[in-house]
Amino acid sequence: MQHDEVIWQVIRHKHCSFMSKITTGIFCRNPYNVTGICNRSSCPLANSRYATIRDHDGVFYLYMKTIERAHKPNDLWERVKLPRNYEKALELIDKHLMYWPKLLVHKIKQRLTKMTQMRIRMRKLALKTREKIMTTPRKEKKREARREEKAEKAAVLDKAIEKELLARLENGIYDGIYNLPFNKFLQTLDTDDLQAEDENEEESEVEYVEGNFELEEEDDIEDLGMKDYHIGNDEEVDDDDDDDDDDDDEVNAVEEQRVRRKSKPAHEKSEKDEFGKKLKKRPRIHVEVEHEGGERQKVTF
Amino acid sequence: MGGKRKTNENEGMEGEEDSKHNIKKMEKEKSEILPSSIKNKEKRSAVHAKLKHQKKLDKRKKLKARDAAAKRALELGEEPPPKQIPRTIENTREADETVCMPDDEELFAGNDADEFSAVLKQDRTPKILITTCRFNSTRGPAFITELLSVIPNSHYHKRGTYDLKKIVEYANNKEFTSIIVVHTNRREPDALLIIGLPDGPTAHFKLSSLVLRKDIKNHGNPTSHEPELVLNNFTTRLGHRIGRLIQSLFPQSPNFRGRRVVTFHNQRDFIFFRHHRYIFETKEIKQSESKGKKAKDTKGESISKEKVIARLQECGPRFTLKLVSLQHGTFDTKGGEFEWVHKPEMDTSRRRFFL
């Protein structure tokens, strides 16, 4: 007991390796400290009669130090295992620390409470799943970004999609819907055979005919060509009749329209934001322009 | 570079018939000294510069000769000499034995027996549950609303703090066919987890380069017709499986009148997602004799022929996915059986791709 004051004076004013000062206060990092604050009454080094609770693997132990054993550092701390039950632990503490200063006993009980609460919370958390944060080395991230950019350039996406759509059109999946028939009203001024390219040439009779709602079912996998589709009705027969009527009126307008249409592509590209409008406009224009030509022209001339 | 030349030199000296490279050049350089063997820096750099210059001149000469030959052939009306095919990464991809062949019985049998066959055969209509990770981000909600508009019959539920396994159970009870979890990191959507149900595979994708609809110039607004699906370049067995997984998210009866197309294009293991509205149009192409390709029959007359093109208007988000892992059952990182996991050692070769 007589050394305590000296020890405290030395520690506090000179140097204590357990003391850590931070902005909010002075703390003691000694594992045997009850409150954790660097205080005259809480310093385990400067109090020859002291007690703490420490936790080992989820089991709480009461540690006591008395002045009788101060000269035997090896046996200095007496350890008592505390029961799991909170109330029983409190009783045990009372029993062991019966004649000790009340302040210390109070602090120990507070510590016990806090630690049991922490124990409960830790066990609950361990049952829940937590996300584990994994880090990626920076080199990999950059490498991936670089490769992605190059892959994007290599995949000319717009062209690939357009090609695929045209291929589907050729295969006849959209048969009932668009009237851009191939190989039927083929237009060349000469009468040569159709070549592979010619499949794509035809007239601009895009008539959106109502009524025929043939929803076609198909598997959309492109790579295996697994297409079970039912080709819709051929509406081209109906359309011919319609076109005939239109033609007689507007054959003269054909040449004009043709000229006008040549300048269209230039416009199309610049006015992409009028797409919506175009969608509505298109049919009317297409109906007028009649390249059905070969036969028609012969008739008029 | 010097080393390569040296071995070629040796080869040239020993067996010229064996050498695969251009022998003439090697012979010329045989008599010259390698720049790397000259110790004097100035002299060495001078010799190296001269060699480089020489190579450049040779290359230009070759190019000129090639162009001249092509032009001459065109004028004469013959076939131009065949164009050389440039070497690309796709051309030189490492041969993969798991590439799907078109007439593979085993593949079709596998398809019938796998988890998606119910949805793909239209026994069940796809019903998607979209949710996020526990912390949502700045761009997350916007992305999710766009996803909701892209994928028909999809529903969004907030995450709360439920375990993913509980969510899977919940979804099973409510008859969903897939779950999509959008994962966020650093306030950006970062990963996509697609879980097939009832006990379907779990695919974990890394999400990058997300561009929302409002950031796309001249974007269009998608309608609610069922979209068509385009899946490009899913060649291997793994790719095929992923393709089917993606396919099971969408309804199997596309509405062609809606003219909506959703594309998942695989290029070098990156899956690019695009969402367009398309329209077929006829475009006039003026042809003159010199072009020659299309108008082989007409001489001296320029006709305007028409060909059909497809025009696309982009709507909806645009993002890139990369597969990180594919697990056999529903989400279970600890106990699950992984069919495919990405490991860093798979990145060592630049010509090897898995999808």
Side-chain angles (χ1 to χ4, degrees):
Chain A
M1 207 72 152
Q2 56 261 58
H3 292 304
D4 292 347
E5 199 51 47
V6 177
I7 294 176
W8 176 245
Q9 292 287 338
V10 172
I11 286 179
R12 185 66 183 83
H13 299 297
K14 295 287 179 57
H15 174 70
C16 172
S17 50
F18 296 109
M19 176 173 78
S20 60
K21 269 191 192 167
I22 50 182
T23 44
T24 44
I26 308 180
F27 291 95
C28 182
R29 274 187 282 137
N30 193 321
Y32 287 95
N33 191 322
V34 168
T35 56
I37 303 172
C38 189
N39 254 340
R40 175 67 183 86
S41 54
S42 310
C43 188
L45 305 170
N47 289 305
S48 2
R49 187 170 54 172
Y50 201 70
T52 333
I53 297 188
R54 286 182 76 190
D55 155 56
H56 182 70
D57 273 354
V59 183
F60 294 154
Y61 294 95
L62 174 67
Y63 285 75
M64 290 172 288
K65 159 172 117 158
T66 46
I67 196 170
E68 285 82 26
R69 297 192 302 271
H71 63 286
K72 287 194 289 185
N74 211 14
D75 303 326
L76 189 56
W77 292 96
E78 178 191 343
R79 186 169 83 162
V80 172
K81 182 170 168 184
L82 291 175
R84 285 285 311 272
N85 190 335
Y86 179 61
E87 282 86 17
K88 292 220 183 87
L90 282 179
E91 284 171 16
L92 202 64
I93 289 175
D94 273 333
K95 196 177 79 157
H96 280 281
L97 304 181
M98 215 185 301
Y99 300 111
W100 287 45
K102 296 291 177 245
L103 187 62
L104 193 58
V105 175
H106 186 229
K107 287 271 189 277
I108 286 172
K109 285 185 184 166
Q110 277 185 334
R111 189 180 171 87
L112 176 69
T113 317
K114 202 57 152 200
M115 286 176 84
T116 36
Q117 287 171 347
M118 260 180 57
R119 179 165 63 179
I120 294 170
R121 211 181 328 146
M122 281 203 304
R123 293 173 87 114
K124 249 197 255 177
L125 272 183
L127 289 174
K128 288 196 182 165
T129 48
R130 312 286 308 273
E131 292 181 346
K132 183 173 168 204
I133 299 187
M134 315 222 44
T135 56
T136 346
R138 186 181 295 190
K139 178 168 127 183
E140 278 203 31
K141 277 189 279 202
K142 293 202 161 179
R143 183 157 40 124
E144 288 302 319
R146 214 183 311 134
R147 284 189 184 174
E148 185 190 325
E149 230 187 274
K150 294 197 179 166
E152 186 154 3
K153 286 196 199 130
V156 244
L157 282 162
D158 286 344
K159 287 218 182 96
I161 300 177
E162 287 174 11
K163 214 164 61 158
E164 169 67 18
L165 289 173
L166 286 175
R168 289 189 184 177
L169 185 64
E170 271 177 47
N171 273 332
I173 299 174
Y174 304 133
D175 256 351
I177 305 178
Y178 299 109
N179 296 317
L180 306 165
F182 304 109
N183 309 333
K184 290 235 169 164
F185 302 97
L186 183 67
Q187 271 331 288
T188 54
L189 288 181
D190 321 76
T191 52
D192 261 345
D193 321 31
L194 320 173
Q195 291 154 355
E197 312 261 7
D198 295 348
E199 286 180 16
N200 288 333
E201 296 172 344
E202 61 327 86
E203 338 182 304
S204 35
E205 316 172 41
V206 179
E207 288 187 35
Y208 297 99
V209 179
E210 309 88 338
N212 237 332
F213 247 173
E214 202 78 343
L215 287 184
E216 277 131 351
E217 309 172 336
E218 65 155 11
D219 271 58
D220 284 330
I221 292 188
E222 175 253 15
D223 54 351
L224 285 191
M226 299 198 319
K227 296 188 167 118
D228 344 307
Y229 49 83
H230 318 300
I231 304 186
N233 295 336
D234 275 341
E235 294 173 16
E236 288 136 18
V237 185
D238 301 331
D239 298 334
D240 292 350
D241 303 332
D242 292 340
D243 295 339
D244 295 349
D245 300 333
D246 292 335
D247 271 357
D248 296 335
D249 301 332
E250 278 142 352
V251 164
N252 295 331
V254 166
E255 276 83 20
E256 296 168 28
Q257 300 292 0
R258 251 205 218 143
V259 173
R260 210 206 310 165
R261 285 221 50 193
K262 276 180 199 163
S263 55
K264 271 248 175 260
H267 285 296
E268 281 175 9
K269 291 194 175 122
S270 55
E271 295 171 347
K272 259 212 150 185
D273 40 4
E274 293 179 39
F275 194 94
K277 262 198 260 167
K278 282 218 171 74
L279 287 181
K280 291 172 202 151
K281 262 194 196 165
R282 281 265 148 231
R284 256 174 267 143
I285 299 177
H286 282 174
V287 165
E288 286 166 356
V289 178
E290 217 20 77
H291 293 273
E292 188 160 336
E295 305 163 328
R296 290 295 138 240
Q297 287 174 359
K298 286 180 199 157
V299 165
T300 51
F301 293 138
Chain B
M1 201 46 181
K4 200 178 176 181
R5 224 181 281 138
K6 210 166 187 181
T7 48
N8 287 341
E9 240 188 14
N10 290 338
E11 271 184 4
M13 282 196 254
E14 290 158 6
E16 290 170 8
E17 318 87 16
D18 305 343
S19 171
K20 291 178 196 155
H21 304 276
N22 192 346
I23 301 181
K24 298 175 199 152
K25 285 224 180 85
M26 295 306 127
E27 282 181 330
K28 200 170 27 163
E29 278 168 349
K30 235 198 314 187
S31 48
E32 294 172 8
I33 313 169
L34 272 183
S36 53
S37 58
I38 305 175
K39 301 276 187 172
N40 183 337
K41 179 170 175 176
E42 283 201 22
K43 191 75 167 75
R44 182 174 68 229
S45 53
V47 169
H48 176 65
K50 205 157 69 151
L51 271 176
K52 254 185 111 167
H53 185 64
Q54 192 59 37
K55 274 179 85 176
K56 199 157 116 179
L57 288 177
D58 287 340
K59 188 172 173 185
R60 220 181 281 171
K61 237 190 292 176
K62 222 171 58 163
L63 181 62
K64 267 199 192 151
R66 214 187 319 147
D67 283 345
K71 201 165 167 203
R72 216 178 319 128
L74 271 172
E75 278 168 14
L76 294 179
E78 303 165 349
E79 286 270 329
K83 267 195 166 177
Q84 293 169 329
I85 310 173
R87 195 184 57 167
T88 62
I89 294 188
E90 282 77 26
N91 285 351
T92 48
R93 175 177 171 169
E94 274 182 22
D96 200 342
E97 61 196 8
T98 57
V99 172
C100 301
M101 292 291 146
D103 49 357
D104 193 356
E105 282 295 322
E106 202 187 313
L107 185 66
F108 295 146
N111 280 351
D112 286 334
D114 78 358
E115 300 97 342
F116 317 115
S117 60
V119 177
L120 294 185
K121 293 205 178 117
Q122 312 217 349
D123 296 334
R124 301 175 70 189
T125 51
K127 191 171 165 207
I128 317 288
L129 171 66
I130 303 186
T131 180
T132 65
C133 70
R134 285 164 206 212
F135 303 106
N136 214 342
S137 64
T138 321
R139 297 224 291 170
F143 176 55
I144 289 182
T145 41
E146 297 196 359
L147 262 190
L148 286 173
S149 72
V150 170
I151 307 181
N153 202 10
S154 51
H155 308 265
Y156 169 62
H157 288 271
K158 284 204 285 192
R159 172 66 183 265
T161 47
Y162 299 112
D163 263 356
L164 210 45
K165 301 194 190 173
K166 292 256 172 57
I167 294 184
V168 168
E169 257 184 61
Y170 167 80
N172 267 331
N173 293 340
K174 296 276 170 111
E175 307 266 319
F176 283 95
T177 54
S178 319
I179 301 179
I180 297 183
V181 182
V182 177
H183 194 281
T184 300
N185 188 9
R186 282 209 183 155
R187 296 175 283 279
E188 274 265 335
D190 181 20
L192 212 64
L193 199 66
I194 302 184
I195 308 178
L197 296 172
D199 45 79
T202 307
H204 181 210
F205 294 96
K206 189 165 56 160
L207 204 149
S208 46
S209 333
L210 171 67
V211 180
L212 295 175
R213 183 180 307 152
K214 55 186 169 78
D215 300 325
I216 300 179
K217 286 195 126 185
N218 297 330
H219 69 262
N221 290 319
T223 57
S224 60
H225 299 105
E226 279 106 17
E228 284 179 54
L229 202 56
V230 169
L231 297 165
N232 279 341
N233 279 346
F234 287 91
T235 47
T236 62
R237 293 292 289 264
L238 175 66
H240 183 66
R241 202 157 146 72
I242 299 286
R244 281 173 72 88
L245 172 68
I246 295 175
Q247 197 184 351
S248 69
L249 295 174
F250 291 89
Q252 295 309 302
S253 50
N255 185 347
F256 295 117
R257 287 175 188 278
R259 279 182 282 124
R260 250 179 101 189
V261 61
V262 167
T263 309
F264 287 86
H265 181 105
N266 171 35
Q267 187 83 16
R268 303 185 196 171
D269 281 357
F270 288 98
I271 304 178
F272 296 99
F273 169 90
R274 297 287 185 272
H275 178 208
H276 292 277
R277 300 196 63 200
Y278 65 91
I279 181 173
F280 289 111
E281 284 170 351
T282 52
K283 176 175 153 189
E284 284 190 8
I285 28 174
K286 249 193 141 166
Q287 297 162 27
S288 42
E289 175 51 28
S290 57
K291 291 272 176 167
K293 272 192 208 165
K294 298 197 168 115
K296 284 202 187 164
D297 30 1
T298 67
K299 314 258 176 197
E301 232 184 6
S302 64
I303 345 161
S304 48
K305 290 206 183 166
E306 296 187 338
K307 73 173 184 159
V308 179
I309 51 163
R311 270 203 317 134
L312 303 172
Q313 186 190 25
E314 183 150 10
C315 44
R318 180 201 287 188
F319 53 86
T320 319
L321 298 173
K322 183 157 203 272
L323 184 67
V324 169
S325 70
L326 178 64
Q327 185 199 337
H328 191 71
T330 54
F331 183 74
D332 185 354
T333 32
K334 291 190 209 147
E337 172 200 341
F338 282 88
E339 292 183 19
W340 189 83
V341 171
H342 173 264
K343 296 209 173 88
E345 61 206 12
M346 296 176 177
D347 287 337
T348 48
S349 160
R350 293 188 205 181
R351 300 285 188 270
R352 182 171 52 203
F353 307 113
F354 301 95
L355 280 186

